Amino acid sequence: ITTNMECAVDAQSLISISLMKIHNSRTQRGGIKLHKNLLVSYVLRNARQVYIKEKYAEIYRMQQYEEVRTVCNEIQELNPLDLDSEDADDEDQARAACCGDETSLCHRGAAQPAVHVRAPSTLLGCCPFEDSSKESEPCEYRSCCMEASPVSHFDPFSADNIRHCNKTTVLDLDTHVVTTVENGYLHQDCCCDALQGGQGAQSPAKKRKGEFGGCVSEAEDVSDFTAARKRAKREDCSYSNPDYTETSNISNLISIFGSGFSGLLSRQADLEQICSKQALAGLGAWTRAIVAF
Amino acid sequence: INGPGGDMQWCFSQVKGAIDDDVAEADIISTVEFNHTGELLATGDKGGRVVIFQQEIENKSQPQFRSEYNVYSTFQSHEPEFDYLKSLEIEEKINKIRWLPQKNAAQFLLSTNDKTIKLWKISERDKRPEGYNLKEEDGRYKDPNTITSLRVPVLIPMDLMVEASPRRVFANAHTYHINSISVNSDNETYLSADDLRINLWHLEITDRSFNIVDIKPANMEELTEVITAAEFHPHQCNTFVYSSSKGTIRLCDMRASALCDKHSKLFEEPEDPSNRSFFSEIISSISDVKFSHNGRYMMTRDYLSVKIWDLNMENRPVETYQVHEYLRSKLCSLYENDCIFDKFECCWNGNDSVVMTGSYNNFFRMFDRGHRRDVTLEASRENSKPMQVLKPRKVCAGGKRKKDEISVDSLDFNKKILHTAWHPQDNIIAVATTNNLYIFQDKVN
């Protein structure tokens, strides 16, 4: 959000406003205006990216608090004089990991709960519209499955990186369940339990489907979600990045809300599906707004 | 344009349309277009009607009255329709009118709504036949037994009658909403563009058209941009341009291939990352594209600016004019009230030295390219005394508001000027507010 905005632009309210517009366009005289709906979907995408980042930052902060408390408890159990230097080393390494390589972050993420010690101020700087250095970008949670990727250093400008980004971790905002998507296929994440604090991944796929109004395949839902995060990352790095692929934009965005872009033209059927009871059941605040339409 | 020492000033000439503030939706003006000589001025409205005004010839010699236009013809061009297959209503709103160059006594124009283009012939009748042998004057047939002599019917003068008749109907060629039509310089063909496709027609042939641009993706879910405007080059009959919702313009050469999906030139200016916002994509969408009369430049209008492009330089425009930059901090509100989707048009003057476009609060802007001057004027009933000189307006973006300035928060966003037209040879302009048409001319000293 640029400082030029006169009103406090709330990503969540923008999302609801945009959905309202899309909904209203279905009953407008003259048929659905393709151009206008396309532009609204861009705003939706932008708002969702900001919202997701904010959510991640929040979760990250909460986790950091948890881990700091754990570390403090552990320290209190031991002799504080013996462990000062070791702790300092650990913290330095942790900081280096966070500030540097993404994949090393995820290595540690699996093993050491203390890795995410960092200053909250850097998290608050998180915003899709800043051009700041993205090496300190904390909002990406990488599954340790990323180890398998030959990419050892995350280079946002590298086309290679984009090709190999076929495994991404998905964090469910409402259940805090972490799952991994590979090439659009969903499978459980085995090694990131530490991130979610031991919550069982109870059929997250089904839950995701329910959340987002089930008339699209779950793989599509999730890959859309991850694609959005990948896109957020790429966008942050450079807006002139020619590798920035946009083809998944509208489709993924619309599918997450339960209707394909052609669904905008076919109107009624998907609306009924979206309003199913199942969809309304396990909702988070913002997804509730989406499903209502 | 306005300033000390003999620079051009604009005077009110006429205003057409209802006075009362309660605007009937059908009366909302949706397009304005001068014909090639400037003698005729056509408007289309949301109710599907076309009104043509004609310049008063007697006044042409008197410079201060040369911009008097009177109603010449009114007709219903399009009616609301219903597409039963898709359960969709098709609006009768006239999206665009384009005149054909005059070839004989009659005038021809193309008018289009979302789906159908029609060719209208506007002709004058000032004589009628009299003295039929078999018919009475009122048209009843005579009893042949009462006819004792024969005579030749004669044509006698009558009050001028202007008739509009639909000569061609070009239908069923567009799945999406038509946004542009453009007559080719060859005077035989024209193009029509919708969100995803551009078709080429022959003016004489209504049962088929050629698709020359198709940007529809195989999977509609992959859609990222739409066509927003298209126009033929004024002199090169093989060249046309189309603009997109992403802020790009593509120039195509029809000699290159039958399907012009591959552009010959791509005009695009990289986005300024410091201006990035939630609404970047919306405000970069081009709402209008117009070639200059000399064919060397083209002008594009996006939400906040007007850009002039040299056809020989693709990587950036040669000139950029800010129309209402003070709105950049208001984009959120403008998104909420849908104003951010308003499609402003733009136009050149006859010698391509000045460009004009509309804004809010019934303001319109002119940019003098040569003298690097710009002016903001207002079309309002308050300034509508005959020959009243228009006073330049100023919007106060922030800080202390000077006398006569208007603050951004006082602007009326319901009063928008989307359509303007400039006489091809003279300094006479037509400016459409919501339901009124204002005609201004330059001040004669």
Side-chain angles (χ1 to χ4, degrees):
Chain A
I1 305 157
T2 67
T3 51
N4 291 336
M5 286 295 161
E6 54 122 22
C7 53
V9 181
D10 176 18
Q12 198 160 338
S13 65
L14 262 187
I15 289 171
S16 343
I17 291 167
S18 303
L19 289 170
M20 204 54 214
K21 288 184 194 296
I22 292 178
H23 173 68
N24 288 339
S25 78
R26 296 176 180 214
T27 51
Q28 253 167 20
R29 203 170 161 250
I32 288 162
K33 292 181 178 29
L34 191 66
H35 183 198
K36 184 178 176 185
N37 280 285
L38 184 69
L39 296 177
V40 170
S41 68
Y42 273 111
V43 175
L44 262 174
R45 179 199 67 169
N46 294 339
R48 189 180 68 161
Q49 281 168 353
V50 170
Y51 182 85
I52 287 166
K53 280 187 175 279
E54 287 170 358
K55 273 288 175 185
Y56 272 133
E58 203 181 298
I59 290 159
Y60 196 75
R61 275 196 303 277
M62 280 178 349
Q63 259 198 353
Q64 176 198 350
Y65 174 68
E66 288 288 330
E67 283 150 5
V68 166
R69 241 183 15 163
T70 313
V71 169
C72 287
N73 291 340
E74 285 172 3
I75 289 169
Q76 278 173 356
E77 288 164 14
L78 305 162
N79 187 340
L81 295 172
D82 290 340
L83 293 168
D84 264 337
S85 53
E86 281 179 39
D87 280 343
D89 278 343
D90 273 345
E91 286 190 29
D92 283 343
Q93 280 181 358
R95 239 173 260 123
C98 292
C99 298
D101 205 59
E102 297 295 316
T103 43
S104 64
L105 172 72
C106 84
H107 282 280
R108 293 168 184 278
Q112 296 176 15
V115 71
H116 297 296
V117 177
R118 22 183 341 166
S121 57
T122 48
L123 294 176
L124 294 173
C126 200
C127 154
F129 307 115
E130 279 183 7
D131 237 344
S132 50
S133 150
K134 291 308 159 192
E135 280 72 31
S136 56
E137 164 59 66
C139 295
E140 287 282 307
Y141 285 83
R142 289 298 163 108
S143 147
C144 57
C145 297
M146 275 295 286
E147 280 181 66
S149 161
V151 175
S152 57
H153 164 66
F154 187 80
D155 176 4
F157 294 93
S158 155
D160 277 351
N161 178 58
I162 290 162
R163 275 203 297 279
H164 292 298
C165 269
N166 52 10
K167 288 185 190 179
T168 319
T169 299
V170 174
L171 173 65
D172 186 316
L173 295 179
D174 297 302
T175 63
H176 297 286
V177 165
V178 180
T179 49
T180 307
V181 181
E182 178 179 355
N183 286 334
Y185 293 102
L186 194 65
H187 58 88
Q188 293 307 313
D189 193 295
C190 49
C191 33
C192 282
D193 285 344
L195 287 175
Q196 71 208 36
Q199 277 190 31
Q202 285 156 7
S203 49
K206 207 169 160 191
K207 211 152 195 176
R208 274 199 92 64
K209 186 172 174 170
E211 257 183 67
F212 294 110
C215 72
V216 192
S217 73
E218 64 208 44
E220 226 180 346
D221 276 344
V222 179
S223 66
D224 146 54
F225 192 80
T226 60
R229 285 174 52 252
K230 279 194 277 185
R231 242 178 285 123
K233 179 81 182 169
R234 273 179 255 141
E235 265 188 55
D236 296 341
C237 301
S238 166
Y239 291 99
S240 55
N241 182 356
D243 293 325
Y244 170 40
T245 53
E246 290 192 275
T247 52
S248 50
N249 274 356
I250 308 307
S251 61
N252 293 331
L253 180 66
I254 301 298
S255 59
I256 207 176
F257 299 121
S259 62
F261 202 73
S262 50
L264 287 177
L265 303 170
S266 64
R267 297 169 86 171
Q268 293 305 323
D270 42 323
L271 198 63
E272 274 115 44
Q273 285 188 35
I274 289 166
C275 292
S276 70
K277 281 185 187 155
Q278 183 195 4
L280 290 165
L283 291 179
W286 72 291
T287 54
R288 202 169 287 119
I290 296 162
V291 171
F293 295 111
Chain B
I1 300 176
N2 260 302
D7 294 332
M8 190 158 58
Q9 289 182 299
W10 291 91
C11 306
F12 171 84
S13 174
Q14 292 173 289
V15 58
K16 313 283 188 192
I19 298 175
D20 62 82
D21 286 330
D22 207 12
V23 179
E25 188 156 332
D27 293 339
I28 295 173
I29 298 171
S30 50
T31 185
V32 180
E33 188 81 356
F34 279 101
N35 76 336
H36 293 268
T37 61
E39 186 201 344
L40 297 175
L41 175 61
T43 63
D45 64 24
K46 242 186 154 188
R49 290 165 306 199
V50 171
V51 180
I52 302 175
F53 301 91
Q54 185 188 41
Q55 197 175 19
E56 277 304 318
I57 310 164
E58 297 102 60
N59 292 335
K60 258 187 174 173
S61 51
Q62 292 173 281
Q64 59 270 37
F65 298 120
R66 69 194 195 281
S67 60
E68 186 181 329
Y69 282 78
N70 296 319
V71 177
Y72 179 65
S73 173
T74 304
F75 56 94
Q76 187 77 32
S77 171
H78 287 72
E79 298 273 6
E81 285 173 60
F82 199 80
D83 181 336
Y84 294 97
L85 201 62
K86 295 182 190 170
S87 288
L88 281 182
E89 201 181 348
I90 300 167
E91 275 191 286
E92 66 276 29
K93 173 169 73 88
I94 307 297
N95 293 334
K96 284 281 162 27
I97 289 173
R98 289 289 182 264
W99 290 92
L100 268 58
Q102 192 172 12
K103 278 199 275 199
N104 50 40
Q107 301 278 359
F108 288 86
L109 61 78
L110 288 170
S111 69
T112 185
N113 69 350
D114 284 339
K115 297 286 182 184
T116 304
I117 308 127
K118 294 187 184 179
L119 176 69
W120 288 88
K121 176 180 178 182
I122 296 106
S123 49
E124 293 182 355
R125 192 197 290 270
D126 60 359
K127 297 181 193 46
R128 65 180 174 83
E130 204 181 63
Y132 284 108
N133 292 291
L134 299 173
K135 276 197 287 191
E136 304 281 5
E137 291 303 323
D138 58 10
R140 278 181 306 141
Y141 279 97
K142 284 181 184 171
D143 178 0
N145 299 322
T146 62
I147 297 168
T148 53
S149 59
L150 278 177
R151 56 183 173 164
V152 178
V154 291
L155 292 171
I156 58 165
M158 60 178 259
D159 288 337
L160 178 66
M161 199 165 75
V162 181
E163 298 172 320
S165 59
R167 305 302 290 176
R168 305 272 187 277
V169 177
F170 305 92
N172 303 320
H174 286 279
T175 310
Y176 302 96
H177 294 135
I178 297 174
N179 52 56
S180 313
I181 47 175
S182 177
V183 184
N184 202 347
S185 52
D186 65 8
N187 292 332
E188 286 184 354
T189 57
Y190 75 95
L191 63 77
S192 58
D194 67 26
D195 292 316
L196 298 178
R197 298 192 178 100
I198 302 178
N199 293 331
L200 181 72
W201 302 84
H202 192 284
L203 285 164
E204 300 288 334
I205 300 167
T206 59
D207 63 354
R208 80 197 84 134
S209 68
F210 289 102
N211 175 242
I212 52 176
V213 173
D214 188 341
I215 65 166
K216 185 181 178 190
N219 181 5
M220 271 299 272
E221 306 215 343
E222 291 165 18
L223 182 74
T224 58
E225 69 180 323
V226 296
I227 298 167
T228 52
E231 197 181 49
F232 266 118
H233 189 277
H235 312 134
Q236 297 165 14
C237 56
N238 54 286
T239 305
F240 66 93
V241 292
Y242 68 93
S243 60
S244 86
S245 54
K246 275 192 176 169
T248 62
I249 310 102
R250 286 172 175 80
L251 185 140
C252 301
D253 185 338
M254 294 195 293
R255 298 170 300 187
S257 69
L259 189 60
C260 298
D261 276 359
K262 242 182 121 207
H263 53 263
S264 300
K265 295 193 186 189
L266 175 68
F267 298 83
E268 189 176 12
E269 185 177 29
E271 189 196 345
D272 179 4
S274 65
N275 275 334
R276 181 111 190 107
S277 75
F278 287 114
F279 312 105
S280 291
E281 287 84 2
I282 300 186
I283 63 171
S284 64
S285 176
I286 292 173
S287 52
D288 195 15
V289 65
K290 292 264 173 46
F291 277 105
S292 61
H293 290 95
N294 60 20
R296 289 172 50 202
Y297 300 95
M298 65 178 175
M299 164 167 55
T300 56
R301 175 69 156 99
D302 51 65
Y303 191 64
L304 296 178
S305 67
V306 161
K307 294 179 182 175
I308 312 278
W309 302 78
D310 185 323
L311 294 186
N312 296 316
M313 188 161 76
E314 298 168 58
N315 59 344
R316 60 177 174 82
V318 288
E319 293 151 41
T320 301
Y321 302 103
Q322 300 303 331
V323 181
H324 35 220
E325 181 68 14
Y326 47 78
L327 294 183
R328 194 180 285 276
S329 58
K330 311 281 180 195
L331 294 179
C332 189
S333 324
L334 294 166
Y335 178 70
E336 284 182 59
N337 63 18
D338 269 3
C339 284
I340 206 174
F341 300 105
D342 287 333
K343 294 185 188 173
F344 292 95
E345 292 174 9
C346 53
C347 61
W348 298 84
N349 73 340
N351 61 15
D352 301 329
S353 60
V354 183
V355 296
M356 172 166 65
T357 189
S359 178
Y360 293 104
N361 209 67
N362 281 347
F363 287 171
F364 58 101
R365 303 262 284 138
M366 286 186 191
F367 302 95
D368 185 334
R369 301 174 60 210
H371 297 106
R372 304 220 156 268
R373 272 196 302 255
D374 63 87
V375 69
T376 305
L377 301 171
E378 182 180 0
S380 77
R381 294 255 176 196
E382 281 84 50
N383 305 324
S384 52
K385 291 198 232 355
M387 289 302 127
Q388 180 178 359
V389 175
L390 295 182
K391 207 171 85 142
R393 314 294 278 159
K394 191 115 166 57
V395 176
C396 168
K400 209 160 165 3
R401 187 176 74 87
K402 296 197 193 77
K403 178 176 174 283
D404 286 347
E405 279 186 358
I406 296 163
S407 76
V408 183
D409 299 312
S410 313
L411 295 174
D412 187 343
F413 290 96
N414 289 321
K415 292 185 177 168
K416 50 194 92 175
I417 291 178
L418 304 175
H419 312 287
T420 60
W422 204 308
H423 190 289
Q425 284 139 22
D426 203 346
N427 284 323
I428 300 169
I429 56 174
V431 173
T433 59
T434 307
N435 63 335
N436 285 167
L437 183 72
Y438 286 79
I439 299 172
F440 303 104
Q441 67 164 72
D442 64 343
K443 182 168 183 290
V444 177
N445 295 316

